[in-house]
Amino acid sequence: MLVAMARKTANDDPLAPVTLAVGQEDLLLDRAVQEVVAAAKAADADTDVRDLTPDQLQPGTLAELTSPSLFAERKVVVVRNAQDLSADTVKDVKAYLGAPAEEITLVLLHAGGAKGKGLLDAARKAGAREVACPKMTKPADRLAFVRAEFRTAGRSATPEACQALVDSIGSDLRELASAVSQLTADIEGTIDEAVVGRYYTGRAEASSFTVADRAVEGRAAEALEALRWSLATGVAPVLITSALAQGVRAIGKLSSARGGRPADLARELGMPPWKIDRVRQQMRGWTPDGVSVALRAVAEADAGVKGSGDDPEYALEKCVVIIARAARSRGRS
């Protein structure tokens, strides 16, 4: 089951006309989308998937995407950050909620809270299937998440192993999920604390995020040195791509946010205030185009380390170089 730890309403059909994913936990939001897309493609392999940001969903766009087709094709329309939609587009979405089209599944991703609450209330009133994707701020929640990941994978891990993984990896759910995936792929039988210690204790979060920090700061040589050390000491490549993705996403989020105090931005972006200050320092050389280039590089590296390429180490090195170059894109011709 793809959406581990996400709470759902009684309507648990991923092909319901409207799915509302509410919260600020990126991994769970992404999994909510993945579950709907997987169900749609299982019903029709030719399903058309449109994944849109608020700036891409202009007034009238939703009507175009959901208009009847001569071929009656199945379609999934994903709207991210629905709380940021313009007032006119919100009117379009509310009108659509009253009469959703057949063979089309609309997925609204909403951060929750006061911003855009009218759309949130309208979707709930219309009977949307709801998936709760809250930030997991408590260690106990992250421990429960790790246990659920092992159960979903059909594998057994001791309580001590689960706790050691949380202690070693930290608070990032993507890294925790990647670590569980790596362990279940590599280890046969019950996963215990000793196994977790060999893989992660005391080094995974520190080393993978060191690679990411140096890369987004434009310090290519230092990032490559940290990367080679991480790989030599056994850090899983998927953890490094996860850290790189998180670093670039943080740059993109903060660069597109309105100015304000770190505490206000922290609430808006779902980052701790100390991280806002760090990312502000890291983002000085970045441009929007640079962020796009870096995100594409991370996606390619992630595919490379997960089997589509022959050399995961080269995929990571190439990604680090591209990110570091993108970090210095401002002011260059």
Side-chain angles (χ1 to χ4, degrees):
M1 186 175 180
L2 283 168
V3 193
M5 299 298 295
R7 298 187 302 275
K8 302 175 187 177
T9 55
N11 176 12
D12 198 18
D13 180 6
L15 292 181
V18 181
T19 286
L20 178 65
V22 184
Q24 298 181 32
E25 185 54 70
D26 289 340
L27 175 66
L28 299 183
L29 290 167
D30 285 346
R31 286 184 173 185
V33 173
Q34 291 165 13
E35 185 180 40
V36 172
V37 171
K41 286 187 175 292
D44 181 354
D46 295 326
T47 294
D48 182 18
V49 179
R50 303 296 180 92
D51 198 323
L52 306 170
T53 56
D55 61 308
Q56 294 173 313
L57 194 66
Q58 298 298 318
T61 303
L62 184 62
E64 292 177 12
L65 292 173
T66 57
S67 60
S69 167
L70 291 175
F71 303 102
E73 64 180 351
R74 182 175 291 278
K75 187 178 295 184
V76 175
V77 178
V78 179
V79 180
R80 296 185 182 271
N81 298 311
Q83 73 278 356
D84 295 331
L85 291 172
S86 69
D88 288 339
T89 304
V90 167
K91 290 180 183 177
D92 288 352
V93 177
K94 286 182 177 179
Y96 178 81
L97 292 172
E102 292 186 14
E103 300 299 313
I104 292 177
T105 301
L106 176 65
V107 185
L108 298 174
L109 275 56
H110 195 294
K115 187 177 183 181
K117 190 172 184 297
L119 178 58
L120 193 62
D121 292 341
R124 286 169 171 162
K125 186 176 180 181
R129 167 184 178 259
E130 186 167 343
V131 182
C133 307
K135 275 287 185 185
M136 293 190 184
T137 57
K138 298 178 180 178
D141 291 339
R142 294 192 287 273
L143 182 59
F145 172 81
V146 168
R147 289 171 175 164
E149 289 289 288
F150 279 117
R151 284 197 302 271
T152 300
R155 297 297 301 278
S156 176
T158 67
E160 294 79 11
C162 294
Q163 185 63 60
L165 199 57
V166 172
D167 292 342
S168 299
I169 300 299
S171 60
D172 186 81
L173 250 59
R174 290 187 187 277
E175 289 231 357
L176 287 168
S178 295
V180 171
S181 177
Q182 184 72 35
L183 289 169
T184 55
D186 289 358
I187 305 300
E188 295 182 0
T190 299
I191 295 163
D192 59 21
E193 187 177 8
V195 169
V196 174
R198 289 202 305 272
Y199 270 70
Y200 302 110
T201 299
R203 68 192 183 208
E205 184 168 35
S207 60
S208 60
F209 280 99
T210 296
V211 176
D213 284 342
R214 298 297 85 80
V216 300
E217 290 162 4
R219 297 154 67 179
E222 294 175 44
L224 288 170
E225 182 180 358
L227 171 64
R228 288 160 188 157
W229 183 87
S230 298
L231 294 172
T233 56
V235 177
V238 290
L239 294 181
I240 299 173
T241 55
S242 177
L244 290 168
Q246 186 173 336
V248 176
R249 285 196 201 99
I251 297 287
K253 283 182 178 180
L254 191 56
S255 64
S256 62
R258 295 183 299 276
R261 297 177 304 165
D264 296 331
L265 286 170
R267 285 191 293 272
E268 180 182 342
L269 302 178
M271 298 181 191
W274 64 264
K275 189 168 184 178
I276 296 291
D277 290 331
R278 175 186 287 180
V279 176
R280 270 180 168 165
Q281 295 174 353
Q282 294 174 332
M283 63 186 279
R284 290 171 183 163
W286 285 87
T287 64
D289 285 344
V291 172
S292 297
V293 168
L295 286 174
R296 286 196 296 271
V298 171
E300 290 176 5
D302 189 58
V305 303
K306 290 178 178 175
S308 70
D310 297 328
D311 190 341
E313 183 173 341
Y314 172 75
L316 285 169
E317 289 183 352
K318 179 181 177 183
C319 178
V320 164
V321 170
I322 292 173
I323 291 173
R325 187 181 300 134
R328 300 191 301 273
S329 56
R330 188 179 298 281
R332 290 190 339 211
S333 57

